[in-house]
Amino acid sequence: MSETPSRRIDRIQPFRVMALLAEARELEQQGRDIVHMEIGEPDFPTPPPVVEAATRAIADGKVHYTPAVGLSALREAIAGFYQDRYGVSVPAQRIVVTPGASGALLLALGVLLEPGQGVMLADPGYPCNRNFAHFLDARVQPVPVQADTGYQLSLALVQQHWQADTRVVMLASPANPTGTLIPSAELEAIIDWVERQGGTVIVDEIYHGLIYGESPPTALGCSERVIVINSFSKYFGMTGWRIGWLVAPGELIPGIDKLAQNLFLSASTPAQHAALAAFEPQTLDILEQRREAFEQRRDFLLPALREIGFDIKVEPQGAFYLYADCRRFTDDSFAFAQALLQEIGVAITPGNDFGDNQPQRHVRFAYTTSLARLQEGVRRLQQRLAPDG
Amino acid sequence: MSETPSRRIDRIQPFRVMALLAEARELEQQGRDIVHMEIGEPDFPTPPPVVEAATRAIADGKVHYTPAVGLSALREAIAGFYQDRYGVSVPAQRIVVTPGASGALLLALGVLLEPGQGVMLADPGYPCNRNFAHFLDARVQPVPVQADTGYQLSLALVQQHWQADTRVVMLASPANPTGTLIPSAELEAIIDWVERQGGTVIVDEIYHGLIYGESPPTALGCSERVIVINSFSKYFGMTGWRIGWLVAPGELIPGIDKLAQNLFLSASTPAQHAALAAFEPQTLDILEQRREAFEQRRDFLLPALREIGFDIKVEPQGAFYLYADCRRFTDDSFAFAQALLQEIGVAITPGNDFGDNQPQRHVRFAYTTSLARLQEGVRRLQQRLAPDG
């Protein structure tokens, strides 16, 4: 019995990309050159002003526990960010600093879900969302989404799939793995309808800083009952620091505080002090340049992959992912990804990691490496998949 | 419905000491001098070699995600620590680096417990243990422990309280709030018996580096099926960095890895690189000096409190806590703690935070402040509680 893990572990799938990543590292150790388009982590380092703030804080001995909900100054800074960037007034008391968006998702779902209650989410989608629900013995209610809704839940889909036990609807805009947005009017309509059913909408905005084109409003402008998840990882370049936040209705904050006290004690103190510098004008300038670099990469990679024969049905407006139908080449995306890795040293993520909606016919490309490396990847793909193209 | 938290939140009590801590901070802002004996956090800063390692890692751009189970080098370093300090050979593959002991406890209980299964633990005990079980919809099976077993579970108590659905027995040595150890023979007998029932023992060794007198063996020497929780927070002086570890049976590691991938992605990368320096001889020298300072504090505070009239029935051999029966002064330890704070500016933790076993008659003193401050605290307590003593 001791060595048998609980059933919740069986319901959680390991990330298939981890096996590919391990294979890629092995090939690299053998001297092979691998173009990494599988990794959901920006290649940019943490911005220098953030690094300097961290170093200063550590030197000053700011290494003790903070309140479970985070440093007051950081909660205030995040509130200021919502005011400055979105013109939305969010009281700092509704903001909780967390160990990454992962910590925010665990707190948000933990405070909302009874065992057995339903969590509606888009398939394909970020794999951890399903697994948080499994961890809490909630019921995952995946909704297959297609290109016609930009791979997003729509009001019609939410209404059609709503069940008596549905408690939470999870949205992400921009989404992983598709990079697509939910149109603002649709977002507002979904939130309004779900709240009238007595449910709660959680909106993942961790890629909200990485949108190419006009920046849409935050979901926080729609309702004071929505929960928004965000992170210093992706846009702010602080992945390994493990720091993020959530915004929740004021009534849920005491429960979230209790959970955070017990599950985490607090988020990393050096990371919190570092993050204080994330909103400085100098940092935001750097981040804006990086956003432009990601946009350039997208603008190169999207047509190049289409030309090779990948069917990318929706032009992604954000994040750093392209979600491609690869049926022209394979009906087994995992074997396909393995073959590309072994034969031409190009690493991509097979669809299996994102759900059960035709995963064998989809792959995800991440443009988290330099334009030069993406060009090299495309050259290899072109030669292997469309030599006469 | 949206603003109603899940039932698991109702089962989780907030820490009463947080209210006192907030009150203490308020008094300090009003200019009052407060002697802090409520805080479970060493007053020492992170050791300089660890700080330097962190600063170097950050400057070198080591700020990206690590594997979910932690940096290989750190897992190896922890294995080396077990070899050097305890003469126990633990393969690095069985070691998982976590966001503090909190993360380790969530992974360990998450991989083991089905909803409704039982977790046996000592009352009084570390409050989060109960709350992790509540979070996972497991059943908490508290066992009231008394001075006769050093406030620890004994084999007899475990046998007496074992139920058909008991899955996990949680031990801590040294324990919070009592600072007491489980005798090695008893520990071995408990582990042996529980494993023969098909259960798993989790041993919290986060205060194992802070033992005054002969250092006992780690529970890892007793069995390869036991799970040990440890941390860089207390002994290694890295509280706010949020970094710890667990050692588990090899068969559970894939499940723990999956959980860690989803719940955390990984522990803080700067903290992991910093922790690599925690085992260096120069750091261990500093930690040994600090351990001696804690021992001095205990040796001052224990007789001083007894003289005032606090009944400390068991001499604590480790950690930095004294668990005192205060019935000579009060039958409401929370009101008592509040009165001491308001009247003489001495902050201590009421028994309520540690369980339901006569909490109103117990308080915890933490000697996490300097000897001079402890002397000042004792002077005030003496004057208020035993003016003619």
Side-chain angles (χ1 to χ4, degrees), chain A residues 135-175:
Chain A
F135 185 70
L136 295 163
D137 290 289
R139 231 155 56 71
V140 179
Q141 300 175 334
V143 176
V145 289
Q146 317 298 341
D148 62 338
T149 62
Y151 300 108
Q152 290 280 7
L153 291 177
S154 62
L155 176 60
L157 283 170
V158 170
Q159 289 175 331
Q160 184 189 332
H161 291 267
W162 185 265
Q163 295 178 34
D165 68 355
T166 303
R167 174 73 183 90
V168 169
V169 174
M170 299 186 82
L171 306 174
S173 185

Side-chain angles (χ1 to χ4, degrees), chain A residues 1-15 18 39-46 51 54-55 58-59 61 63-68 99 102-103 106 109-115 117 126-129 131-132 135-137 166-167 194-195 197-200 224-225 233-234 237-242 249 251-252 254-256 258-259 261-270, chain B residues 1-15 18 39-46 51 54-55 58-59 61 63-68 99 102-103 106 109-115 117 126-129 131-132 135-137 166-167 194-195 197-200 224-225 233-234 237-242 249 251-252 254-256 258-259 261-270:
Chain A
M1 183 169 166
S2 294
E3 285 79 12
T4 310
S6 60
R7 283 189 296 269
R8 66 168 64 84
I9 303 299
D10 296 332
R11 291 189 296 261
I12 296 176
Q13 297 301 314
F15 303 153
M18 298 305 279
I39 298 179
E41 180 172 30
D43 51 332
F44 296 110
T46 301
V51 167
T55 307
I58 294 167
V63 294
H64 291 277
Y65 296 131
T66 72
S102 306
L106 186 62
L109 292 171
V111 82
L112 290 174
L113 288 171
E114 306 292 345
Q117 286 186 329
Y126 178 58
C128 297
N129 288 347
N131 293 334
F132 280 109
F135 185 70
L136 295 163
D137 290 289
T166 303
R167 174 73 183 90
V194 169
E195 292 184 349
Q197 313 310 304
T200 299
E224 292 191 354
R225 291 169 59 193
S233 291
K234 310 294 183 175
M238 294 184 69
T239 46
W241 297 84
R242 312 310 302 119
E251 295 86 340
L252 291 177
I256 291 172
K258 276 201 296 185
L259 269 191
Q261 285 176 21
N262 283 282
L263 299 183
F264 308 129
L265 296 188
S266 60
S268 158
T269 305
Chain B
M1 183 170 167
S2 294
E3 284 79 11
T4 310
S6 60
R7 283 189 296 269
R8 66 168 64 83
I9 302 300
D10 295 332
R11 291 190 297 261
I12 296 176
Q13 297 301 314
F15 302 154
M18 298 306 278
I39 299 179
E41 179 172 32
D43 51 332
F44 297 110
T46 301
V51 167
T55 307
I58 294 167
V63 294
H64 291 275
Y65 296 130
T66 73
S102 307
L106 186 62
L109 293 170
V111 82
L112 291 173
L113 287 171
E114 306 292 347
Q117 285 187 331
Y126 178 58
C128 298
N129 288 347
N131 293 335
F132 280 109
F135 185 70
L136 295 162
D137 290 289
T166 304
R167 174 73 183 89
V194 170
E195 292 185 349
Q197 314 310 305
T200 299
E224 293 191 352
R225 290 169 60 194
S233 290
K234 310 293 183 176
M238 294 184 67
T239 46
W241 298 83
R242 310 311 302 119
E251 295 87 339
L252 290 178
I256 291 172
K258 276 201 295 185
L259 269 191
Q261 284 175 22
N262 282 283
L263 299 184
F264 308 129
L265 296 187
S266 59
S268 158
T269 305

Side-chain angles (χ1 to χ4, degrees), chain B residues 51 60 62 77 136 181 235 242 326:
Chain B
V51 167
D60 291 351
K62 291 175 178 166
L136 295 162
L181 302 181
Y235 173 60
R242 310 311 302 119
C326 56

Side-chain angles (χ1 to χ4, degrees), chain B residues 57-136:
Chain B
I58 294 167
D60 291 351
K62 291 175 178 166
V63 294
H64 291 275
Y65 296 130
T66 73
V69 292
L71 288 173
S72 296
L74 184 54
R75 298 166 79 196
E76 293 288 351
I78 294 167
F81 176 71
Y82 281 114
Q83 190 65 62
D84 295 348
R85 175 154 299 200
Y86 298 102
V88 174
S89 169
V90 180
Q93 293 73 22
R94 286 179 52 206
I95 298 167
V96 176
V97 177
T98 59
S102 307
L105 287 162
L106 186 62
L107 292 177
L109 293 170
V111 82
L112 291 173
L113 287 171
E114 306 292 347
Q117 285 187 331
V119 182
M120 191 191 298
L121 37 73
D123 180 355
Y126 178 58
C128 298
N129 288 347
R130 291 192 303 276
N131 293 335
F132 280 109
H134 289 312
F135 185 70
L136 295 162

